[in-house]
């Protein structure tokens, strides 16, 4: 869990005063710290880091990734087009749409991105359309992991990737269309805190890689977790170094090709801790067994608690030293799954107080909906050593209504 300093709390309160609520605030410093620390741990490996932009595609976030030399994991035509528009070179974008359509295949290929194919039938249609091309293949090594069943992306019951047992078919199709498999990819899940399982999965794909002669990279995916709860340990980076980085270095050293690199593509690890969702408490209500603190935000702005039961720490920025009381911190959406925290100790919440929902910089804004026809939150960017600036305003009632009407046929 991110610990806010007194200065950061002051800054966040000033953002709420200046830009109102609900607002996502992102600290550039945190993103850069996370990227550089991962790079340090992977130092010595021939490496390319991609950013899984589905975690947070805010323009300044993406620009930070670009400045830090990262490529992009894009999973839809709009993600790809947006990354290219921001200046990411096409050869640093891997297009990993699953259950891709023909149109999407042509779109991505036409823009110079390498396709990451996770279905045999798509590999076949790619071969038919683009014989003699390079392609990456997503394998499912059957080892999955993640913070919730909904985010596990490998294993028998997962829709992702070509089962590693079907590698022969991959070779057959590649041979039939003269495709060069330049990359192998896996992504086993999200919010992984257990490096042993991650290594197990990586070793399956490394084993499978020995039958591919023209590989330029092995992409071991994202998934690195961050601690959300106050009592949760961070990912153990010394075991990451020992269990993952060291054997990867051994693998690379022993590999016949000196042109092979290892790719990682985290999303959450880079951005989650940089983001705080600011909301205002409008209503404090004593129920019969619960005290509800109702805010001007909700599951439309941060769906993770409703969707996965995820924990996000909630701090009262207006009254940080008040006596602690137990609350259900809820939103203004007409659903009972609309909550940030249940049965949670927070320093006394009063109507008008500003709360910060922490570690919300990944899969927060990028999963926003306009359910109940409420606006998306605003976004504020705090550059390292600079002043907060509004990078995306909320929409007014008039703008929302006009946008809906304009879409009607
Ligand atoms: N690569 C691929 C192919 C992915 O599908 C994902 C995430 C990533 C990389 C990045 O995973 P990360 O490093 O961020 O864990 N909405 C969920 C997370 C779903 C992740 C989907 N794929 C959540 O809020 O926890």
């Amino acid at each position: 869990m991110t610990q806010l300093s007194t200065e950061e709390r002051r800054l966040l309160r000033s953002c709420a005063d200046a830009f109102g609520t609900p607002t996502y605030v992102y600290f550039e410093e945190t993103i850069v710290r996370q990227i550089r620390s991962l790079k340090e741990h992977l130092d010595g490996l021939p490496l390319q880091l991609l950013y899984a932009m589905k975690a947070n595609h805010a323009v300044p976030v993406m620009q930070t990734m670009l400045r830090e030399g990262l490529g992009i994991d894009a999973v839809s035509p709009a993600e790809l087009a947006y990354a290219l528009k921001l200046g990411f070179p096409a050869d640093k974008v891997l297009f990993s749409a699953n259950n891709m359509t023909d149109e999407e295949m042509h779109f991505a290929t036409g823009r110079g991105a390498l396709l990451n194919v996770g279905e045999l039938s798509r590999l076949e249609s790619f071969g038919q359309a683009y014989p003699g091309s390079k392609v990456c293949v997503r394998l499912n090594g059957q080892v999955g992991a993640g913070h919730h069943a909904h985010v596990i992306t490998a294993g028998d019951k997962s829709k992702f990737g070509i089962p590693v047992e079907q590698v022969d078919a991959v070779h057959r199709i590649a041979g039939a269309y003269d495709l060069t498999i330049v990359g192998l990819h896996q992504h086993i899940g999200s919010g992984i805190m257990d490096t042993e399982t991650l290594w197990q999965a990586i070793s399956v794909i490394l084993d499978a890689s020995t039958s591919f002669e023209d590989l330029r990279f092995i992409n071991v995916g994202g998934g690195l977790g961050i601690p959300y709860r106050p009592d949760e340990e961070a990912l153990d980076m010394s075991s990451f170094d020992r269990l993952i980085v060291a054997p990867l270095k051994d693998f690379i050293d022993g590999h016949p090709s000196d042109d092979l690199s290892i790719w990682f593509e985290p999303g959450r690890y880079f951005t989650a801790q940089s983001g705080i969702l600011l909301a205002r408490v409008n209503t404090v209500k004593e129920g019969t067994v619960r005290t509800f603190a109702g805010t001007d935000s909700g599951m439309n702005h941060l769906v993770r608690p409703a969707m996965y039961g995820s924990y996000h720490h909630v701090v009262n920025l207006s009254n940080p030293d008040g006596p602690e009381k137990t609350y259900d911190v809820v939103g203004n959406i007409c659903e009972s799954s609309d909550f940030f925290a249940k049965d949670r100790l927070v320093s006394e919440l009063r109507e008008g107080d500003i709360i910060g929902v922490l570690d919300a910089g990944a899969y927060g804004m990028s999963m926003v909906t306009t359910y109940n026809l409420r606006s998306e939150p605003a976004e504020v960017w705090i550059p390292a050593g600079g002043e907060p600036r509004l990078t995306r305003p909320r929409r007014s009632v008039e703008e929302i209504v006009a946008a809906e009407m304009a879409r009607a046929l």
Side-chain angles (χ1 to χ4, degrees):
M1 182 203 97
T2 301
Q3 301 282 354
L4 294 177
S5 64
T6 313
E7 173 53 19
E8 283 166 340
R9 285 207 298 261
R10 189 201 59 74
L11 201 54
L12 289 167
R13 281 196 306 269
S14 76
C15 287
D17 289 344
F19 307 111
T21 55
T23 295
Y24 272 103
V25 179
Y26 308 117
F27 288 86
E28 178 185 34
E29 220 164 10
T30 313
I31 300 179
V32 172
R33 179 196 73 205
Q34 288 298 101
I35 297 171
R36 296 198 181 159
S37 104
L38 187 62
K39 277 184 186 164
E40 245 168 61
H41 284 278
L42 297 170
D43 191 34
L45 268 179
L47 177 73
Q48 176 64 56
L49 285 181
L50 305 185
Y51 169 54
M53 63 180 284
K54 59 177 80 63
N56 184 330
H57 59 256
V59 167
V61 170
M62 296 287 284
Q63 286 168 335
T64 305
M65 305 299 171
L66 186 60
R67 272 198 304 277
E68 291 294 312
L70 272 58
I72 289 292
D73 156 41
V75 295
S76 70
E79 280 198 355
L80 169 61
Y82 180 81
L84 296 180
K85 187 105 184 162
L86 282 166
F88 287 91
D91 63 1
K92 276 191 163 181
V93 182
L94 185 63
F95 187 70
S96 293
N98 68 95
N99 297 321
M100 189 184 304
T101 63
D102 288 347
E103 270 172 339
E104 290 171 350
M105 171 179 77
H106 297 311
F107 185 93
T109 308
R111 278 154 189 81
L114 185 68
L115 253 61
N116 182 20
V117 174
E119 298 88 21
L120 288 176
S121 65
R122 176 54 55 195
L123 191 61
E124 181 105 34
S125 51
F126 179 72
Q128 282 164 3
Y130 302 99
S133 301
K134 294 176 178 160
V135 68
C136 173
V137 168
R138 178 172 184 166
L139 294 179
N140 179 345
Q142 310 297 358
V143 182
H147 68 79
H148 187 278
H150 292 177
V151 301
I152 296 175
T153 49
D156 294 344
K157 296 190 181 124
S158 169
K159 69 170 178 167
F160 296 99
I162 298 172
V164 76
E165 294 78 1
Q166 296 173 11
V167 151
D168 286 351
V170 170
H171 286 299
R172 186 176 42 71
I173 296 168
Y177 300 102
D178 194 23
L179 296 175
T180 309
I181 314 273
V182 291
L184 288 184
H185 172 270
Q186 72 166 17
H187 171 74
I188 66 161
S190 202
I192 302 167
M193 303 302 275
D194 164 18
T195 43
E196 275 181 42
T197 310
L198 189 55
W199 172 250
Q200 255 181 40
I202 293 175
S203 60
V204 175
I205 191 176
L206 296 187
D207 286 349
S209 74
T210 53
S211 70
F212 292 85
E213 282 171 5
D214 303 303
L215 283 186
R216 304 285 304 280
F217 68 88
I218 297 176
N219 181 339
V220 297
L224 304 179
I226 62 116
Y228 284 95
R229 294 172 184 270
D231 55 356
E232 206 176 349
E233 297 284 332
L235 192 69
D236 177 357
M237 291 314 272
S238 68
S239 94
F240 181 80
D241 292 346
R242 189 167 38 84
L243 291 177
I244 294 179
V245 184
L248 275 175
K249 281 184 182 157
D250 288 347
F251 173 81
I252 288 286
D253 288 346
H255 200 272
S257 159
D258 46 1
D259 202 15
L260 181 70
S261 56
I262 299 293
W263 294 13
F264 279 80
E265 54 181 23
R268 181 189 323 266
Y269 191 79
F270 293 150
T271 60
Q273 291 160 311
S274 75
I276 292 114
L277 174 59
L278 299 179
R280 188 176 293 272
V281 176
N282 305 314
T283 311
V284 177
K285 175 157 80 180
E286 295 291 345
T288 48
V289 291
R290 295 276 171 120
T291 304
F292 297 98
T295 68
D296 60 359
S297 180
M299 65 185 293
N300 50 335
H301 295 162
L302 181 66
V303 75
R304 302 190 73 256
M307 198 161 171
Y308 317 111
S310 299
Y311 181 100
H312 282 268
H313 203 67
V314 174
V315 290
N316 183 348
L317 295 166
S318 307
N319 187 24
D321 301 319
E324 286 194 325
K325 295 191 170 179
T326 304
Y327 297 94
D328 277 13
V329 183
V330 298
N332 54 11
I333 292 298
C334 300
E335 294 266 347
S336 289
S337 55
D338 177 30
F339 68 96
F340 292 126
K342 281 198 171 160
D343 216 7
R344 181 79 64 80
L345 275 176
V346 185
S347 44
E348 185 177 10
L349 290 164
R350 305 155 307 185
E351 294 186 357
D353 280 355
I354 299 296
I355 60 161
V357 184
L358 305 190
D359 304 312
Y363 307 108
M365 188 67 171
S366 63
M367 293 179 79
V368 157
T369 68
T370 52
Y371 188 37
N372 287 191
L373 275 192
R374 288 190 179 272
S375 168
E376 304 84 351
E379 285 184 303
V380 167
W381 177 249
I382 308 187
E387 289 302 308
R389 66 166 203 272
L390 184 70
T391 49
R392 178 174 169 140
R394 279 176 296 282
R395 291 190 297 159
S396 66
V397 168
E398 292 70 27
E399 285 167 324
I400 295 172
V401 172
E404 292 304 309
M405 302 296 284
R407 280 186 199 146
L409 294 173

